[in-house]
């Protein structure tokens, strides 16, 4: 077994590998960019080596620097994680030449399966079901349109070296094929240094289901059941679960056997994933691609099988034989994973960067697992992907896993950057998701005009009012206690308040002390609120009329911001007189920014496509911004004339920073 392993990655997956290495008694080496100097994976590793500036192309994608770090530290093997160099055959080959073990498949397997064009040809030869399409690289947007017409819309335009939703577009007409081809090539070149693009038929009403395989150097390959990954936004996975609520045992076995056949065709050694698109009507399935690496969503497979996939990647790389036969692979319960990302679901899911003022994940154990690479006070950088953490819940049944996930999301506190927790909470309550009857179009079909706060289900607004009143009364009681200890001060807190929801009107409540908490009267009903909550705690836990509840709270003077089941509400607690006087205050109108193009996110301005004096038509491209490895195109909302350029390409932008002024 190896004595020292270098992890050629960062963030959550680097921390994940380090944990398994510790369990196995293996020393670890972290590599880091200058932006990650204070990152969690650097702190957790036994040694750490800086490999360059913040941009990945200057650090995490630099093979020479990573190999030099291995030689400097004496690392015998490299675990690549996912992303970056994990599916780079050249990296695997060079490590082998240097006598360093690559913890993953052999370079020839990576080369064959990592190339989507070649892998599809191999799949056909291995008698694996494949999607109709054009299986060679396409050079021009005009050629892309021509091929798309022959195949028949809709089509998928895909980067040959792509993954993670990057370098992928669905086109429904000539215009989208032309534009999608250009965007795919740009994204593919930036993300993978390979801009080859191909096209295949888009299967409508599809489900994205993948098979986890595990092979060793002795010819043994097994499949570890499936993962359902159909809940996607912009072709990036949002929620994953294992097993799939859609498959029956016969289809599961057929897909598993085809996945093993494909892995055998390339002498696959390590953990890998064969992805399929499954027809939601008849369960017919087609090969999409093979990911020759560990997947982001591997924890759900670990939960239902009891296997540590990272450990077995390491053991296989060290030459050990798999002790498992296919019939030994168990399927225990149900597991769901939510990707917690630094993005604002109420602003079109735009990236959010900055410092994590608060980061308090739910308590692990009893079927709750949190994989993360961040910590409170750390920074979410614009240079890398948006993932903050992976929240995984395991239970005997699917309904149990969903219920556990709802509670865990409710207790996940993130402040300082926006997160998608509210969106995940809404999906956990979505009827189609709960029923298991969904496909990859669920998010687009459910939120065609975007997602906003009104779309987050909530049990009862009275709950927010009651909790805000109880907290405010507790605050008054605490002030009275403090004031009573000061000579010459006497404080008599009142018991009747007006609770004002910023988007829901005023409510008159009265609050009175009771053993272990407060009795709150609202609309003629009395609610017994019992809690041991103390000031400064971000979670208000307790019972209301004997029923347990948990609510996140931020307190700002007389104002409270409460979070429950993903719903956010701002409330103010006032005396009746103050509530009346506040209605007489004049309201200041916000400044008119309609003649400016504002940056919708923090990011790097890569292009301004217009010049002063230019007439622009609605829909024309104005600028492009790159953030968290994704290219974002800003287009004109209406006809206009450019007046002044207020930012320059290469400039780092903040949210709402003006880029262009119009006449």
């Amino acid at each position: 077994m190896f004595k020292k392993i270098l992890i050629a990655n960062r963030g959550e997956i680097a921390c994940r590998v380090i944990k398994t290495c510790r369990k196995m008694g293996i020393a670890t080496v972290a590599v880091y960019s200058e932006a990650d100097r204070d990152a969690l994976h650097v702190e957790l590793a036994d040694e750490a080596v800086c490999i360059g500036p913040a941009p990945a192309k200057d650090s995490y994608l630099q093979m020479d620097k990573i190999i030099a770090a291995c030689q400097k530290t004496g690392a015998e093997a490299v675990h690549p994680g996912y992303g970056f160099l994990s599916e780079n055959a050249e990296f695997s080959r060079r490590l082998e030449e240097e006598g360093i073990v690559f913890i993953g498949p052999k370079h020839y397997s990576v080369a064959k399966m990592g190339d989507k064009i070649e892998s599809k040809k191999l799949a056909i030869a291995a008698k694996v079901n494949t999607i109709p399409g054009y299986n060679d690289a396409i050079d021009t947007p005009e050629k892309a349109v021509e091929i798309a017409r022959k195949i028949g819309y809709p089509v998928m335009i895909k980067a040959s070296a792509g993954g993670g939703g990057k370098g992928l577009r669905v086109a429904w007409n000539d215009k989208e094929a032309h534009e999608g081809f250009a965007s795919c090539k740009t994204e593919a070149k930036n993300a993978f240094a390979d801009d080859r693009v191909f096209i295949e038929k888009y299967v409508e009403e599809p489900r994205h289901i993948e098979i986890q395989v595990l092979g060793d150097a002795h010819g043994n390959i097994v499949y570890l059941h499936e993962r359902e990954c159909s809940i996607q936004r912009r072709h990036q996975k949002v929620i994953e679960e294992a097993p799939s609520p859609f498959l029956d045992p016969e289809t599961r076995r057929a897909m598993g056997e085809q996945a093993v056949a494909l892995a055998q065709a390339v002498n696959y050694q390590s953990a890998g994933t064969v992805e399929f698109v499954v027809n939601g009507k008849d369960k017919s399935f087609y090969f999409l691609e093979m990911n020759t690496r560990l997947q982001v969503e591997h924890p759900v497979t670990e939960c239902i099988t009891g296997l540590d996939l990272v450990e077995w990647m390491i053991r296989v790389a060290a030459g050990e034989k798999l002790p498992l036969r296919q019939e030994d692979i168990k399927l225990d319960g149900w597991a769901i994973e939510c990707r917690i990302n630094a993005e604002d679901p109420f602003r079109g899911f735009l990236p959010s960067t900055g410092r994590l003022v608060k980061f308090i994940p739910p308590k692990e154990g009893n079927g709750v697992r949190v994989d993360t690479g961040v910590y409170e006070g750390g920074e979410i950088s614009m240079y890398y992907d948006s993932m903050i953490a992976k929240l995984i819940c395991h239970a005997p049944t699917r309904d149990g896993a969903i219920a556990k996930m709802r509670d865990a999301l409710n207790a996940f506190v993130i402040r300082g950057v926006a997160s998608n927790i509210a969106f995940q909470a809404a999906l956990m309550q979505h009827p189609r998701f709960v029923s298991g009857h969904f496909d990859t179009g669920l998010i687009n079909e459910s939120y065609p005009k975007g997602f906003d706060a009104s779309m987050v289900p909530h049990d009862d607004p009275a709950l927010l009012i009651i909790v805000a009143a109880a907290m405010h009364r507790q605050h008054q009681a605490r002030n009275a206690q403090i004031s009573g200890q000061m000579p010459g001060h006497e404080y008599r807190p009142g018991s009747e308040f007006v609770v004002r929801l910023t988007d829901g009107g005023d409510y008159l409540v009265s609050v009175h002390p009771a053993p272990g908490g407060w009795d709150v009267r609202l609309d003629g009903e009395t609610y017994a609120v019992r809690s041991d909550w103390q000031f400064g705690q971000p979670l208000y836990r307790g019972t209301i009329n004997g029923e347990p509840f948990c609510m996140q709270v931020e307190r700002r003077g007389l104002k409270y911001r409460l979070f429950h089941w993903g719903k956010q509400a701002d409330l103010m607690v006032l005396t009746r007189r103050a509530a009346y006087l506040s209605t007489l205050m004049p309201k200041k109108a916000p400044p008119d920014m309609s003649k400016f193009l504002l940056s919708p996110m923090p990011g790097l301005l890569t292009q301004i496509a217009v010049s002063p004096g230019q007439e622009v038509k609605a829909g024309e491209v104005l600028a492009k911004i790159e953030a968290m490895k994704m290219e974002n195109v800003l287009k004109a909302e209406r006809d206009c004339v450019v007046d002044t350029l207020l930012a320059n390409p290469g400039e780092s932008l903040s949210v709402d920073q003006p880029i262009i002024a119009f006449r």
Side-chain angles (χ1 to χ4, degrees):
M1 182 50 63
F2 308 114
K3 294 181 179 179
K4 185 182 290 187
I5 290 174
L6 181 143
I7 298 103
N9 217 297
R10 64 178 300 279
E12 170 271 323
I13 187 56
C15 295
R16 164 73 187 87
V17 175
I18 290 169
K19 287 179 181 178
T20 288
C21 287
R22 281 185 174 178
K23 181 180 72 174
M24 298 176 70
I26 301 171
T28 54
V29 179
V31 292
Y32 64 94
S33 71
E34 292 171 2
D36 278 340
R37 188 173 299 277
D38 298 320
L40 184 60
H41 75 283
V42 176
E43 179 182 336
L44 292 177
D46 297 296
E47 299 174 64
V49 179
C50 183
I51 54 171
K57 64 182 178 61
D58 299 323
S59 50
Y60 295 107
L61 292 173
Q62 286 289 321
M63 300 182 201
D64 290 341
K65 293 182 179 180
I66 293 171
I67 291 171
C70 290
Q71 295 167 337
K72 177 182 177 181
T73 60
E76 306 155 86
V78 170
H79 196 299
Y82 48 71
F84 294 140
L85 296 171
S86 63
E87 293 182 285
N88 189 302
E90 174 69 8
F91 181 54
S92 174
R93 184 188 63 77
R94 287 192 57 187
L95 286 172
E96 187 177 325
E97 290 174 351
E98 296 290 340
I100 302 165
V101 177
F102 180 75
I103 301 176
K106 297 300 181 182
H107 62 85
Y108 50 81
S109 300
V110 176
K112 290 176 180 178
M113 286 289 101
D115 186 312
K116 289 180 175 56
I117 293 174
E118 293 304 314
S119 67
K120 190 170 181 180
K121 294 176 181 177
L122 277 166
I124 293 170
K127 295 182 170 35
V128 176
N129 304 345
T130 58
I131 303 173
Y134 186 84
N135 300 327
D136 288 309
I138 300 167
D139 297 326
T140 67
E142 290 76 20
K143 184 69 173 177
V145 170
E146 178 187 335
I147 292 169
R149 285 177 177 174
K150 289 180 180 178
I151 295 172
Y153 291 108
V155 298
M156 292 186 77
I157 306 170
K158 302 172 70 173
S160 183
K166 297 173 182 65
L168 187 153
R169 296 289 189 278
V170 176
W172 296 80
N173 53 51
D174 290 353
K175 183 175 184 291
E176 291 180 1
H178 194 285
E179 293 179 352
F181 174 84
S183 293
C184 281
K185 284 186 75 72
T186 299
E187 279 188 8
K189 185 175 182 179
N190 291 339
F192 313 110
D194 182 345
D195 67 352
R196 288 175 303 144
V197 169
F198 69 106
I199 294 178
E200 62 188 17
K201 181 68 177 175
Y202 177 66
V203 178
E204 297 185 66
E205 297 185 25
R207 294 185 78 125
H208 185 131
I209 300 176
E210 60 191 30
I211 304 291
Q212 175 73 59
V213 296
L214 185 61
D216 64 20
H218 306 277
N220 301 302
I221 301 177
V222 293
Y223 66 89
L224 310 182
H225 304 304
E226 80 282 1
R227 294 185 291 258
E228 172 77 65
C229 303
S230 298
I231 306 298
Q232 302 180 8
R233 190 187 68 79
R234 290 182 63 186
H235 310 295
Q236 290 191 301
K237 298 166 188 174
V238 177
I239 297 171
E240 302 98 351
E241 59 182 307
S244 166
F246 181 66
L247 293 192
D248 53 62
E250 183 180 346
T251 308
R252 175 178 295 119
R253 183 174 60 255
M255 292 176 69
E257 289 173 353
Q258 286 203 14
V260 168
L262 185 61
Q264 289 172 334
V266 291
N267 188 26
Y268 198 83
Q269 303 170 29
S270 193
T273 298
V274 181
E275 299 194 351
F276 293 93
V277 60
V278 183
N279 188 305
K281 295 180 178 178
D282 61 11
K283 291 189 172 70
S284 59
F285 57 90
Y286 306 95
F287 169 72
L288 278 177
E289 62 186 11
M290 183 174 188
N291 291 305
T292 54
R293 55 171 167 79
L294 194 66
Q295 291 278 87
V296 175
E297 57 272 20
H298 75 274
V300 292
T301 297
E302 294 182 325
C303 288
I304 65 165
T305 62
L307 300 174
D308 183 331
L309 292 183
V310 173
E311 178 179 348
W312 277 108
M313 290 181 75
I314 294 171
R315 292 191 180 281
V316 165
E320 292 189 20
K321 186 177 181 179
L322 286 176
L324 299 167
R325 302 167 69 94
Q326 190 59 55
E327 56 267 27
D328 298 327
I329 310 300
K330 63 180 181 178
L331 201 165
D332 177 23
W334 215 284
I336 298 176
E337 174 180 290
C338 284
R339 299 190 185 195
I340 309 303
N341 295 333
E343 58 189 17
D344 191 342
F346 306 126
R347 289 174 62 96
F349 296 91
L350 293 174
S352 180
T353 60
R355 196 160 299 281
L356 285 164
V357 177
K358 281 193 182 298
F359 179 75
I360 308 173
K363 185 178 180 180
E364 293 194 74
N366 191 31
V368 176
R369 168 176 165 179
V370 180
D371 285 11
T372 187
V374 303
Y375 57 89
E376 188 168 291
E379 187 173 356
I380 303 297
S381 170
M382 65 175 280
Y383 294 103
Y384 313 113
D385 65 47
S386 63
M387 184 179 290
I388 298 175
K390 300 184 310 198
L391 179 59
I392 306 102
C393 290
H394 183 214
T397 65
R398 187 171 188 267
D399 286 346
I402 290 173
K404 190 169 288 187
M405 180 63 77
R406 288 188 66 195
D407 288 342
L409 287 166
N410 196 38
F412 205 142
V413 181
I414 296 174
R415 303 287 182 269
V417 300
S419 81
N420 65 337
I421 287 178
F423 182 60
Q424 294 281 19
L427 290 172
M428 281 296 122
Q429 300 172 78
H430 195 290
R432 285 178 61 189
F433 176 76
V434 173
S435 71
H437 300 302
F438 54 81
D439 55 43
T440 57
L442 183 145
I443 290 177
N444 286 341
E445 293 161 9
S446 300
Y447 312 107
K449 296 182 179 179
F451 183 77
D452 61 60
S454 67
M455 298 173 180
V456 185
H458 195 272
D459 301 320
D460 184 357
L463 182 67
L464 302 172
I465 298 162
I466 293 161
V467 171
M471 286 192 297
H472 187 70
R473 189 70 172 85
Q474 188 166 341
H475 172 62
Q476 283 193 326
R478 179 171 178 266
N479 282 349
Q481 184 181 24
I482 294 171
S483 300
Q485 297 171 357
M486 300 178 184
H489 288 77
E490 185 176 350
Y491 184 76
R492 299 185 185 278
S495 63
E496 192 173 70
F497 313 105
V498 172
V499 178
R500 174 172 295 165
L501 274 72
T502 54
D503 59 354
D506 290 355
Y507 299 84
L508 183 64
V509 299
S510 60
V511 189
H512 304 279
W518 308 91
D519 287 339
V520 181
R521 191 162 182 80
L522 170 67
D523 292 335
E525 297 286 335
T526 299
Y527 301 85
V529 182
R530 305 293 182 258
S531 175
D532 58 1
W533 176 76
Q534 299 294 320
F535 288 92
Q537 293 179 347
L539 292 178
Y540 193 100
R541 296 181 185 271
T543 62
I544 296 179
N545 292 343
E547 293 293 324
F549 77 96
C550 173
M551 191 171 296
Q552 296 184 30
V553 56
E554 287 182 15
R555 185 175 170 279
R556 305 170 181 178
L558 297 178
K559 293 183 179 180
Y560 298 88
R561 175 165 288 177
L562 303 180
F563 304 80
H564 187 243
W565 299 132
K567 188 81 170 181
Q568 174 183 309
D570 291 322
L571 304 93
M572 181 179 292
V573 184
L574 304 163
T575 65
R576 297 182 74 171
R577 176 66 175 168
Y580 167 71
L581 292 175
S582 68
T583 63
L584 306 178
M585 297 292 289
K587 290 180 172 59
K588 184 178 180 181
D592 180 11
M593 302 301 290
S594 61
K595 292 187 177 181
F596 294 89
L597 173 67
L598 305 179
S599 177
M601 75 205 83
L604 182 69
L605 181 61
T606 58
Q607 179 186 357
I608 291 184
V610 295
S611 56
Q614 181 177 336
E615 293 186 5
V616 177
K617 298 294 183 183
E620 287 189 32
V621 174
L622 298 173
K624 295 182 180 180
I625 299 175
E626 189 176 295
M628 293 179 168
K629 302 195 291 185
M630 295 294 285
E631 181 183 67
N632 299 275
V633 180
L634 307 184
K635 298 181 179 180
E637 295 182 356
R638 57 184 180 275
D639 296 353
C640 54
V641 177
V642 177
D643 183 52
T644 311
L645 304 182
L646 304 174
N648 299 307
E651 187 174 336
S652 294
L653 304 175
S654 57
V655 177
D656 290 334
Q657 180 176 335
I659 302 172
I660 301 171
F662 303 103
R663 294 176 190 169

